[in-house]
Amino acid sequence: MPTDIFETRESQVRSYCMNWPATFEKASGSYQYTESGSKYLDFFSGAGALNYGHNHPELRDAVVDYVANDGVTHSMDMKTPAKRRFLETFERVILEPRNLDYKVMFPGPTGTNTVEAALKLARKVTGRQHILSFTNAFHGMTLGSLSVTGNSMKRRGAGIPLTNSSKIPYDDYFDGDIPDFLWLEKVLEDSGSGVDKPAAVIVETVQGEGGLNVARMEWLKALSDLLRRHKILLIVDDVQAGCGRTGSFFSFEEAGIHPDIVCVSKSISGYGLAMALTLFKPELDVWESGEHNGTFRGNNLAFVTAAKALEIFWSDDSFQKELGGKIEELHVGMEKIVEHVNGAYVKGRGFLTGMSFPDPDTAGKVAAEAYKRNLLVETSGPEDEVVKLMPALTVEPEDLQKGLKILEEAVLAATGQMGEPSRLRPPH
């Protein structure tokens, strides 16, 4: 089939299709199918927007039924049965069991929308303008989100100075040589430091785009405690790490913290439909009517699939327990693979994980070799030195093992070691 139109008409800003030139026509579960009939195992999952795989049948049927019955699709922020069902389900299944009392805001359809709303709200509540974020952070591509993002290439795309934010060291940035929050605590307590108190600190518990850097739970707890003492708001960006990707619905649950504001998107719809939430404590709900809005914040198809996904996967702990077993299997498999390369190691948490290589070029070569073998994986990190794995949380055990086997072959090929015996057990 012709592909010229993509080259002649579409902007060169596109990226994923440069490394994966196939034209994908259909998708189901953990697989995508090209229009020429090839089949690819997907360990990318729409950059984390497809935690329950492609076209989950129960979610697909819910969309079809809703559309067939002329359900409202676009509603701005008006009331609809679909929105009511989502809010009631989210309250009952997610918030109440976790003792979380959050107002729910629909800021717009994407991850950067929820971050922008969080930053704006923090400034409005506190009357302060400065935001602190972390080294190697990624929070989105619009100007406010870019201002708290660390990646220099993405920041350059702004075209203007990105102000009113500063970067502070993420967990283990100095390899343990400097105590946690030494600088931050000092300047906050010193009236002569010249550093204005920030409105908020925004943090990812796992830096997905930044190279799969993981914050320790005790580090997150210490950060939360420090900010509370100084009346600074804590924003957790759970856009990629949330909705079960790290093993629990919210990635910060194990730390036992209650962030002031939480950013959620990607897999909250459960079906890859555009949807985002900004969650915040009730006392922070100081918005005036219409002060922050957006044309596409009432995506009722997403409300339908989001409520259904919560009911299917999160109404009890059975899915989370099953996921825990798969996470262990994935990490055991990766640990065996990195033994092939001196200096390589496993990074990340849960199903937001991967392998870092001492030669930054290796990760890109591994991803390319994986694509040749019909496995989709991407890279991340400041130098794209990490192979990043995000299988669907619903991946079948045999497909998980198949992906690991392909990945091992890709690593061996990329490092010139093809022919070595496999260290992984065959798919069962």
Side-chain angles (χ1 to χ4, degrees):
M1 298 293 288
T3 59
D4 292 350
I5 190 65
F6 302 117
E7 309 302 325
T8 61
R9 188 54 59 190
E10 193 176 3
S11 167
Q12 63 185 13
V13 75
R14 62 198 189 280
S15 59
Y16 291 109
C17 61
M18 301 296 197
N19 296 321
W20 303 334
T23 303
F24 295 104
E25 183 178 26
K26 295 183 179 181
S28 178
S30 291
Y31 286 91
Q32 292 200 61
Y33 302 84
T34 70
E35 59 183 359
S36 62
S38 297
K39 176 181 177 181
Y40 285 78
L41 180 56
D42 188 353
F43 274 22
F44 173 64
S45 299
L50 296 164
N51 280 3
Y52 313 112
H54 295 271
N55 289 306
H56 188 283
E58 291 184 76
L59 304 182
R60 178 197 61 214
D61 291 349
V63 171
V64 171
D65 290 345
Y66 188 79
V67 173
N69 285 285
D70 292 330
V72 172
T73 298
H74 180 274
S75 62
M76 302 291 284
D77 65 0
M78 290 180 282
K79 300 171 185 175
T80 65
K83 182 197 277 190
R84 177 172 57 211
R85 183 183 175 195
F86 167 72
L87 286 170
E88 290 175 346
T89 306
F90 189 71
E91 178 181 74
R92 172 175 52 85
V93 173
I94 301 301
L95 296 181
E96 289 180 349
R98 293 163 178 79
N99 294 315
L100 295 173
D101 183 13
Y102 286 132
K103 285 294 189 78
V104 178
M105 175 181 176
F106 301 103
T110 72
T112 198
N113 291 129
T114 178
V115 170
E116 294 282 0
L119 300 180
K120 184 190 290 189
L121 180 61
R123 287 169 170 140
K124 181 176 174 64
V125 167
T126 64
R128 304 189 291 265
Q129 66 183 30
H130 211 71
I131 305 289
L132 297 182
S133 59
F134 290 91
T135 50
N136 291 310
F138 177 79
H139 296 288
M141 300 296 279
T142 49
L143 290 180
S145 300
L146 275 178
S147 73
V148 291
T149 287
N151 185 287
S152 59
M153 182 274 287
K154 291 179 171 62
R155 289 174 62 87
R156 282 196 302 271
I160 62 171
L162 297 170
T163 59
N164 297 316
S165 75
S166 299
K167 308 297 170 291
I168 56 179
Y170 194 70
D171 190 13
D172 205 32
Y173 186 74
F174 293 111
D175 300 319
D177 293 337
I178 296 177
D180 297 335
F181 312 119
L182 176 67
W183 175 85
L184 179 58
E185 194 157 16
K186 182 69 173 177
V187 299
L188 290 177
E189 293 177 352
D190 182 4
S191 61
S193 69
V195 175
D196 294 331
K197 179 183 287 192
V201 172
I202 184 168
V203 65
E204 304 157 274
T205 65
V206 182
Q207 295 184 323
E209 299 303 310
L212 299 175
N213 306 310
V214 177
R216 291 166 296 143
M217 296 301 111
E218 57 269 28
W219 184 88
L220 290 170
K221 182 68 166 60
L223 174 64
S224 177
D225 292 344
L226 173 62
L227 299 186
R228 187 179 301 109
R229 290 199 303 272
H230 290 278
K231 295 181 171 56
I232 299 167
L233 298 179
L234 173 61
I235 304 171
V236 170
D237 179 345
D238 230 18
V239 168
Q240 189 164 93
C243 299
R245 183 138 294 271
T246 60
S248 54
F249 188 84
F250 293 113
S251 68
F252 56 81
E253 291 180 34
E254 188 181 340
I257 62 175
H258 288 185
D260 298 291
I261 305 174
V262 182
C263 300
V264 180
S265 187
K266 289 200 183 285
S267 274
I268 187 59
S269 80
Y271 198 68
L273 298 171
M275 181 177 177
L277 312 176
T278 308
L279 311 176
F280 43 85
K281 293 180 177 178
E283 61 269 24
L284 304 183
D285 194 7
V286 298
W287 294 114
E288 295 180 28
S289 178
E291 191 173 16
H292 188 97
N293 56 27
T295 303
F296 295 101
R297 66 193 186 280
N299 185 350
N300 284 267
L301 296 183
F303 294 155
V304 168
T305 55
K308 190 70 174 177
L310 295 178
E311 290 169 349
I312 294 171
F313 297 106
W314 299 99
S315 288
D316 58 36
D317 63 357
S318 57
F319 176 72
Q320 186 168 332
K321 288 179 178 178
E322 178 185 328
L323 177 59
K326 293 179 183 178
I327 288 171
E328 182 178 2
E329 192 170 355
L330 174 62
H331 284 251
V332 167
M334 288 192 300
E335 290 288 356
K336 292 179 179 177
I337 292 172
V338 296
E339 292 176 9
H340 289 294
V341 182
N342 288 334
Y345 58 96
V346 174
K347 299 188 73 177
R349 273 178 63 202
F351 267 27
L352 179 55
T353 188
M355 301 173 290
S356 181
F357 295 92
D359 180 352
D361 293 335
T362 301
K365 293 175 182 177
V366 171
E369 291 291 341
Y371 179 76
K372 290 179 185 178
R373 292 161 174 79
N374 291 43
L375 174 68
L376 303 180
V377 295
E378 67 167 336
T379 59
S380 74
E383 299 179 271
D384 284 322
E385 74 279 11
V386 178
V387 173
K388 184 180 179 185
L389 307 182
M390 290 186 291
L393 311 187
T394 53
V395 64
E396 295 295 337
E398 58 268 25
D399 290 328
L400 186 58
Q401 284 298 319
K402 178 180 177 181
L404 286 167
K405 183 68 172 66
I406 294 173
L407 196 61
E408 181 185 39
E409 292 174 359
V411 168
L412 293 175
T415 56
Q417 302 179 69
M418 282 300 292
E420 288 195 4
S422 173
R423 303 182 188 192
L424 297 173
R425 62 181 174 85
H428 55 276

